[in-house]
């Protein structure tokens, strides 16, 4: 194998201190495996010296060095060496492998990759910078996510309204603080309108009655008028004199999916905040009677939580597929596809009209990227459940 020459600028002298000379000799000779083993055995301070000395190495030696650092899994070190050569995209990828998301984002910007830079900033917690980039890209879903994490719920709700996502808009509005009377009043009125439009007028009435007991909103004319309108709409003969607290007992509201989602074992250890963030990702979907909910053999599309109606789970070739199960409200399917790639193993058809919530694999992967504590809990539970299944099959 041809010998690589390391040129520090003084003949053929290696750019090495006494402690790093064996490593640089291995690099110069192109013996990558040996160089990897030597590098891994170096103390952290000596590895820092190697990286400092790399600026005096020849271009060919730096190429070999980057290969060595990759093999040794010092991705941050490899990025540092490549910074000298201006390989911004490769540097960004190495920083991401090292978990250094903010340096990765800066490198993506230098590589003229604003979308990837924004995603790295968001994952790294630099939400204002991410938001600015998403705004320039007109990536409104991502803008709404950042606004939610920045605790700017009214702005997030406005974006979700533009996107036609009433579920996420409603969840954003719930987060508006009661301490800000003007924003809270606007949020309550909008939530009431959304709930009423979704056929949940009872829930809207409860919301208004509760809001009218808040010190900052007590006696608000607009809220009282909406409360009265809903009483009449529900044939409760309400009028201007009806006290919000004296509304008749209300029937249980239809399920909104939060309790069903919370009950899924995979999410059993999520905190309240993480659980709410996950729920906000869920998107309402509907299927007419007889429609295909999941196609056998198609790539997994994520988690589906049934809110209303029933579905049939069928196995075997059509048209004589065998009915394996019938599932109703609260049941969930497709949770494995949130984490593992794979094709759908059964055909699922709507026995009746169905209303459900869907969490897509793409949205869920982004959730894991931006919720580290939740990701650790979810993946641990997933691993435990998978191990239980393997043991059961082995037995």
């Amino acid at each position: 194998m041809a010998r690589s020459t390391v040129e520090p600028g003084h003949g053929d002298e290696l750019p090495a201190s006494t402690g790093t000379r064996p490593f640089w000799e291995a690099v110069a000779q192109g013996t990558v495996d040996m160089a990897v083993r030597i590098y891994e055995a170096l103390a952290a301070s000596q590895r820092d010296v190697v990286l400092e000395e790399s600026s005096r190495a020849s271009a060919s030696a730096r190429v070999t060095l980057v290969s060595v650092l990759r093999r040794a899994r010092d991705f941050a070190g490899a990025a540092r060496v490549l910074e000298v050569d201006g390989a911004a995209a490769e540097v960004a990828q190495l920083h991401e492998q090292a978990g250094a998301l903010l340096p990765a984002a800066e490198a993506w910007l230098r590589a003229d990759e604003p979308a990837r830079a924004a995603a790295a900033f968001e994952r790294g917690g630099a939400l204002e910078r991410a938001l600015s980039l998403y705004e320039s890209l007109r990536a409104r879903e991502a803008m709404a996510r950042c606004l939610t994490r920045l605790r700017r719920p009214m702005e997030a709700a406005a974006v979700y309204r533009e996107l036609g996502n009433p579920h996420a808009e409603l969840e954003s509005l719930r987060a508006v603080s009661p301490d800000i009377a003007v924003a809270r009043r606007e949020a309550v009125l909008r939530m009431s309108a959304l709930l009423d439009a979704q056929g949940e007028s009872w829930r809207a009435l409860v919301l208004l009655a509760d809001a009218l007991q808040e010190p900052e909103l007590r006696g608000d004319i607009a809220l009282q008028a909406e409360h009265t309108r809903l009483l009449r709409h529900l044939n409760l003969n309400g009028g201007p004199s009806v006290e919000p607290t004296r509304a008749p007992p209300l029937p249980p509201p239809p399920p909104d999916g939060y309790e069903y989602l919370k009950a899924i074992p995979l999410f059993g250890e999520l905190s309240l905040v993480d659980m709410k963030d996950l729920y906000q990702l869920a998107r309402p979907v509907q299927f007419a009677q007889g429609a295909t909910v999941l196609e056998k053999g198609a790539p997994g599309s994520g988690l589906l939580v049934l809110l209303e109606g029933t579905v049939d789970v069928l196995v075997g070739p059509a048209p004589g597929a065998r009915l394996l199960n019938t599932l109703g409200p609260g049941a969930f399917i497709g949770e494995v596809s949130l984490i593992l790639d794979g094709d759908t193993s059964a055909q699922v058809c709507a026995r009746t009209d169905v209303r459900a919530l869907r969490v897509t694999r793409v949205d869920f992967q982004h959730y894991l990227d931006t919720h580290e504590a939740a990701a650790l809990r979810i993946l641990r539970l997933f691993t435990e459940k998978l191990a239980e299944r393997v043991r059961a099959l082995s037995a």
Side-chain angles (χ1 to χ4, degrees):
M1 180 178 294
R3 178 185 178 88
S4 296
T5 302
V6 183
E7 299 172 355
H10 300 285
D12 291 331
E13 180 184 352
L14 293 168
S17 61
T18 302
T20 63
R21 180 170 292 275
F23 170 77
W24 281 110
E25 288 175 343
V27 169
Q29 294 165 5
T31 53
V32 173
D33 289 343
M34 177 63 73
V36 169
R37 289 194 292 272
I38 294 172
Y39 186 79
E40 291 172 340
L42 292 175
S45 59
Q46 290 176 307
R47 293 198 295 272
D48 285 338
V49 170
V50 167
L51 297 176
E52 290 172 5
E53 293 170 339
S54 67
S55 63
R56 304 197 306 274
S58 67
S60 61
R62 287 200 303 273
V63 170
T64 303
L65 176 59
V66 169
S67 178
V68 169
L69 296 174
R70 285 180 182 275
R71 292 270 298 276
R73 300 181 188 175
D74 185 357
F75 303 120
R80 180 174 165 183
V81 173
L82 280 174
E83 288 276 8
V84 177
D85 301 320
E90 193 173 357
V91 167
Q93 291 170 346
L94 286 165
H95 278 311
E96 287 193 345
Q97 286 181 283
L101 294 171
L102 299 185
E106 298 290 356
W108 283 124
L109 283 178
R110 293 195 299 275
D112 196 24
E113 293 274 6
R116 301 185 75 163
F121 278 130
E122 183 184 359
R123 289 166 56 202
L127 298 176
E128 291 286 1
R129 294 199 67 183
L131 178 60
S132 177
L133 284 170
Y134 284 138
E135 286 174 341
S136 68
L137 295 166
R138 299 191 60 77
R140 292 188 295 173
E141 286 274 6
M143 286 168 55
R145 284 198 311 263
C146 286
L147 288 166
T148 298
R149 293 182 64 196
L150 285 165
R151 302 294 183 258
R152 291 157 61 178
M154 290 297 288
E155 294 172 73
V159 176
Y160 281 125
R161 185 174 185 178
E162 291 176 7
L163 291 167
N165 187 340
H167 168 77
E169 182 187 357
L170 189 62
E171 288 307 302
S172 295
L173 292 169
R174 290 188 202 279
V176 175
S177 171
D179 298 332
I180 308 173
V182 175
R184 175 64 174 163
R185 174 179 176 275
E186 182 182 343
V188 170
L189 287 170
R190 178 60 184 163
M191 283 191 286
S192 175
L194 285 168
L195 290 169
D196 191 30
Q198 294 170 11
E200 300 181 35
S201 303
W202 285 101
R203 184 175 279 146
L205 190 61
V206 171
L207 170 71
L208 288 162
D210 289 344
L212 282 164
Q213 303 312 305
E214 296 173 11
E216 299 295 331
L217 297 179
R218 188 174 290 123
D220 184 275
I221 295 174
L223 295 181
Q224 286 183 334
E226 180 64 8
H227 185 268
T228 299
R229 186 191 69 80
L230 284 174
L231 284 172
R232 288 172 174 159
H233 173 64
L234 293 167
N235 296 319
L236 298 175
N237 298 318
S241 62
V242 175
E243 290 287 340
T245 54
R246 296 179 183 173
L250 303 177
D256 62 5
Y258 180 77
E259 290 298 324
Y260 290 157
L261 193 67
K262 180 182 173 184
I264 295 175
L266 192 61
F267 310 136
E269 295 185 2
L270 296 189
S271 69
L272 174 61
V273 172
D274 287 341
M275 194 68 233
K276 285 288 188 179
D277 284 350
L278 179 61
Y279 178 58
Q280 189 161 326
L281 288 179
R283 307 182 187 199
V285 291
Q286 295 185 4
F287 301 92
Q289 181 179 6
T292 298
V293 176
L294 293 178
E295 183 76 41
K296 180 180 178 182
S301 59
L303 171 70
L304 200 69
V305 183
L306 301 183
L307 303 182
E308 295 178 358
T310 57
V311 300
D312 289 335
V313 182
L314 306 167
V315 294
R322 178 170 58 89
L323 178 64
L324 181 65
N325 203 354
T326 297
L327 304 175
F332 56 93
I333 49 181
E335 74 279 12
V336 173
S337 70
L338 289 174
I339 297 174
L340 297 180
D341 282 324
D343 295 338
T344 303
S345 59
Q347 188 86 358
V348 181
C349 298
R351 176 183 283 260
T352 67
D353 289 346
V354 169
R355 189 168 67 89
L357 287 178
R358 169 171 284 148
V359 178
T360 68
R361 176 179 169 83
V362 171
D363 285 344
F364 188 73
Q365 291 298 317
H366 190 278
Y367 175 84
L368 295 181
D369 285 340
T370 54
H371 294 72
E372 183 176 346
L376 290 173
R377 293 187 177 103
I378 288 170
L379 294 175
R380 182 174 61 79
L381 287 174
F382 181 83
T383 303
E384 289 175 358
K385 297 299 181 184
L386 192 61
E388 288 175 7
R389 292 182 185 182
V390 171
R391 283 195 293 269
L393 289 172
S394 299

